[in-house]
């Protein structure tokens, strides 16, 4: 009997997903296809028939983590397929970087390569598909908790920022058909998702590559354009009481057209924009080859807040960029004082293999970069603390992310995205709560980044 059980057991694929939300959605597509074909999947390497590692290759730390994970998978399992951004990178001699360092891997692909990955899986682990017994949830396999999910609307990017190698790995902008995007969103809401996080390399450029060609959803024509997509996502979210959150939005003028939707509480679109400004000084932005200017973005921020005073703005910045002077850095601190952004992340510049910024003159020393990072974060922290303190006494809607064994609920307000922003904690009275619930909370206390409150 045991031999019979072994003979019909589905082959098992170990899986490791590294990197950003865009890579996570690639992982979900691969996992969905694996399950559709009858493979078991596992987060561990030992005991699997082979392992897939979805890598990140953007910065040195991410490259190291990816290479270490591949080495771990080879050590524990021995049969490894590599995919993702690192798979598209070459070493200095022009050979594939992963294959050069780990020549025993079975196959290497770049990002957004579900078909190629599955071809490699089929080659080394033939598929066990049984159409009579295989059952896949309509929304596919997700790596996020049940109550939130990432929705990728496009692949690639048309910009050529000097510090970024993403276009060389993911290519130019390719927008997904709007009917496919809305169809996936509907399946996610049907499956219980309460928060949809829209991601891409450049969300505001959605549809540019198609010249905004109309698509169809439920027989209705809809332009392949950011405003039309966001409006339609809000309409889909309304019956479920779900949230739609926008990430990776460049501050183009047409973004202003979205703000009235965010100002309308019934639209389903959260008043939240994640915009990677990166810097404020025009000369630094020019060296970065960024498609924006600091002065103009301040004007846009004022316009957004005029239309929607409650809008939350999150951004990321780079300090110590090659050639950055003390005057240029002080310009950034002054800009931050004026912009009063709600959520801010900051990175110290580092060279990335293949980036044009490596060849720029006047690289900033490690000591100066650290000093500027410290000063930037001190100012950002003070702004955040003041903004959160102003929320004390207010009643806010929150979504429950976790409830621990002591009954402490970890939640987020609509102003906080998962994993990158702050939390709101409820220490007592949580017996009736479940993960994914959206409830009203009175804010009682604030720190630099987090809130504490009680159920209203």
């Amino acid at each position: 009997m045991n031999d019979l059980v072994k003979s019909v057991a589905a082959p098992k694929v170990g899986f490791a997903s590294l990197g950003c939300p865009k890579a996570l959605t690639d992982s979900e597509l691969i996992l969905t296809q694996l399950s559709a074909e009858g493979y078991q999947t596992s987060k561990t390497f030992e005991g699997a028939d082979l392992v897939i590692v979805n890598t990140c290759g953007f910065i040195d730390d991410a490259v190291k983590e990816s290479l270490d994970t591949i080495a771990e998978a080879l050590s524990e399992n021995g049969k490894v397929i590599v995919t993702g951004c690192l798979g598209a990178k070459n070493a200095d001699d022009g050979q594939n970087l992963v294959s050069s360092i780990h020549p025993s891997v079975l196959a290497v692909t770049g990002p957004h390569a579900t078909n190629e990955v599955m071809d490699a899986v089929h080659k080394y682990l033939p598929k066990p598909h049984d159409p009579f017994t295989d059952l896949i949830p309509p929304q596919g396999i997700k790596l996020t908790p049940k109550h939130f999910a990432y929705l990728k609307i496009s692949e690639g990017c048309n910009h050529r920022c000097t510090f970024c190698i993403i276009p060389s790995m993911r290519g130019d902008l390719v927008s997904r058909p709007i009917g496919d995007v809305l169809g996936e969103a509907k399946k996610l809401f049907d499956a219980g998702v309460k928060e949809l996080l829209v991601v891409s390399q450049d969300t505001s450029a959605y549809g540019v590559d198609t010249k905004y060609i109309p698509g169809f959803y439920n027989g209705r024509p809809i332009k392949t354009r950011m405003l039309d997509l966001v409006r339609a996502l809000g309409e889909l979210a309304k019956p479920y009481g779900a949230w739609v959150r926008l990430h990776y939005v460049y501050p183009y003028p047409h973004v202003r057209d979205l703000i009235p939707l965010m100002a309308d509480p019934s639209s389903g679109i959260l008043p939240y924009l994640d915009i990677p400004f990166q810097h404020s000084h025009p000369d630094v932005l020019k060296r970065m080859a960024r498609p924006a200017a600091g002065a103009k973005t301040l004007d846009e921020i004022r316009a957004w807040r005029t239309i929607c005073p409650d809008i939350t703005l999150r951004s990321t910045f780079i300090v110590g960029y090659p050639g950055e002077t003390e005057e240029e850095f002080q310009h950034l601190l002054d800009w931050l004082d004026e912009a009063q952004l709600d959520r801010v992340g900051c990175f110290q510049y580092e060279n990335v293999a293949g980036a044009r910024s490596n060849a720029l003159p006047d690289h900033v020393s490690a000591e100066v970069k650290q000093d500027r990072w410290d000063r930037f974060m001190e100012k950002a922290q003070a702004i955040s603390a003041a903004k959160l303190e102003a929320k004390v006494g207010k009643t806010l809607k929150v979504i429950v992310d976790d409830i621990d064994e002591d009954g402490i609920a970890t939640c987020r307000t609509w102003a906080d995205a998962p994993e990158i922003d702050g939390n709101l904690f409820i220490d007592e009275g949580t017996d009736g709560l479940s993960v994914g619930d959206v409830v009203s909370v009175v804010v009682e206390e604030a720190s630099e980044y987090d809130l504490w409150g009680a159920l209203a």
Side-chain angles (χ1 to χ4, degrees):
M1 181 66 177
N2 287 339
D3 290 339
L4 177 61
V5 171
K6 288 178 182 177
S7 69
V8 299
K12 182 184 293 185
V13 178
F15 204 101
S17 183
L18 308 172
C20 66
K22 280 88 72 180
L24 186 73
T25 60
D26 286 351
S27 295
E28 292 171 343
L29 289 172
I30 296 168
L31 286 165
T32 297
Q33 190 60 37
L34 286 168
S35 294
E37 295 185 9
Y39 293 96
Q40 296 183 67
T41 57
S42 169
K43 294 181 180 179
T44 60
F45 304 152
E46 189 175 355
D49 296 292
L50 63 76
V51 172
I52 299 172
V53 180
N54 189 7
T55 60
C56 179
F58 184 41
I59 60 175
D60 289 348
D61 286 346
V63 171
K64 183 179 184 303
E65 180 186 19
S66 294
L67 292 173
D68 288 347
T69 303
I70 294 167
E72 180 185 350
L74 286 169
S75 175
E76 293 188 17
N77 185 278
K79 297 180 179 180
V80 179
I81 295 169
V82 176
T83 186
C85 287
L86 187 60
K89 292 189 74 170
N90 290 332
D92 293 338
D93 61 2
Q95 300 300 309
N96 181 271
L97 178 64
V98 172
S99 297
S100 298
I101 296 175
H102 295 298
S104 60
V105 296
L106 301 178
V108 181
T109 81
H112 199 55
T114 301
N115 291 338
E116 291 89 338
V117 172
M118 293 308 302
D119 286 345
V121 172
H122 296 156
K123 179 178 179 180
Y124 296 101
L125 192 62
K127 60 182 178 179
H129 175 66
D130 181 354
F132 295 100
T133 59
D134 293 346
L135 295 173
I136 301 301
Q139 75 276 13
I141 305 299
K142 294 295 173 184
L143 295 174
T144 49
K146 184 180 178 181
H147 63 288
F148 71 82
Y150 294 101
L151 179 69
K152 184 159 63 172
I153 64 172
S154 64
E155 189 61 64
C157 182
N158 288 342
H159 299 299
R160 295 297 183 265
C161 302
T162 53
F163 58 84
C164 184
I165 58 173
I166 294 298
S168 67
M169 295 185 286
R170 290 185 173 262
D172 289 336
L173 175 73
V174 179
S175 300
R176 290 180 62 193
I178 194 164
D180 291 355
V181 175
L182 295 174
E184 182 180 350
K186 179 64 163 58
K187 289 177 181 177
L188 290 168
F189 291 138
D190 285 340
V193 166
K194 293 295 184 182
E195 179 180 7
L196 201 61
L197 300 106
V198 177
V199 297
S200 68
Q201 300 300 143
D202 181 0
T203 298
S204 5
Y206 178 71
V208 167
D209 55 310
T210 72
K211 298 182 179 179
Y212 310 115
I213 186 172
F216 290 87
Y217 177 70
N218 279 353
R220 178 167 63 104
I222 306 175
K223 280 190 175 181
T224 306
R225 187 173 57 180
M226 186 187 186
L227 177 61
D228 300 72
L229 173 64
V230 171
R231 184 184 290 118
L233 287 172
E235 291 172 359
L236 284 177
K238 282 182 188 179
Y240 301 89
W243 297 352
V244 176
R245 188 184 300 276
L246 303 181
H247 287 273
Y248 307 104
V249 178
Y250 279 76
Y252 303 136
H254 70 261
V255 171
R256 195 181 298 188
D257 297 335
L258 297 172
I259 310 304
L261 290 175
M262 297 181 174
D264 178 3
S266 68
S267 72
I269 308 301
L270 294 179
Y272 179 102
L273 278 179
D274 170 25
I275 301 183
F277 290 121
Q278 305 299 9
H279 211 280
S280 65
H281 196 282
D283 292 342
V284 179
L285 291 168
K286 184 177 180 180
R287 293 197 294 274
M288 290 179 169
R290 294 290 290 173
K296 291 182 179 178
T297 54
L298 282 175
D299 291 339
E300 286 302 306
I301 289 171
R302 294 187 193 99
W304 299 339
R305 285 178 170 152
T306 298
I307 300 168
C308 182
D310 290 333
I311 193 170
T312 292
L313 300 177
R314 136 167 281 282
S315 191
T316 51
F317 296 85
I318 300 173
V319 296
Y321 201 73
E324 183 189 57
T325 64
E326 176 61 27
E327 180 185 1
E328 289 170 344
F329 175 68
Q330 187 59 50
H331 184 280
L332 175 58
L333 293 183
D334 294 341
W335 185 95
L336 194 61
D337 262 334
E338 192 166 354
Q340 289 288 300
L341 302 181
D342 301 86
R343 299 297 194 187
V344 171
C346 183
F347 300 92
Q348 297 179 42
Y349 172 81
E350 63 176 57
N351 282 344
V352 175
R356 291 180 294 146
S357 57
N358 300 351
L360 289 173
D362 302 322
H363 279 239
V364 178
S365 70
E367 293 78 14
V368 171
K369 285 192 285 189
Q370 182 64 50
D371 174 70
R372 290 177 181 172
W373 184 88
D374 290 339
R375 290 156 62 194
F376 180 96
M377 291 308 298
E378 181 180 7
K379 181 172 291 291
Q381 187 179 74
I383 292 171
S384 175
K387 283 180 169 286
L388 292 184
E389 183 63 33
K391 295 184 179 183
V392 173
K394 293 185 177 180
T395 300
L396 304 176
K397 290 285 188 183
V398 304
I399 190 167
V400 180
D401 279 337
D402 182 64
I403 303 173
D404 68 17
E405 59 185 11
D406 296 321
I408 297 175
T410 301
C411 313
R412 287 177 292 108
T413 72
W414 52 259
D416 300 294
E419 300 177 347
I420 56 174
D421 293 332
N423 295 113
L424 182 146
F425 299 98
I426 306 174
D427 293 335
E428 54 187 24
T430 61
D431 290 346
L433 293 185
S434 299
V435 171
D437 285 349
V438 176
V439 295
S440 295
V441 172
V442 178
V443 180
E444 298 178 330
E445 186 180 344
S447 68
E448 291 88 348
Y449 300 115
D450 298 312
L451 298 169
W452 285 260
L455 290 171

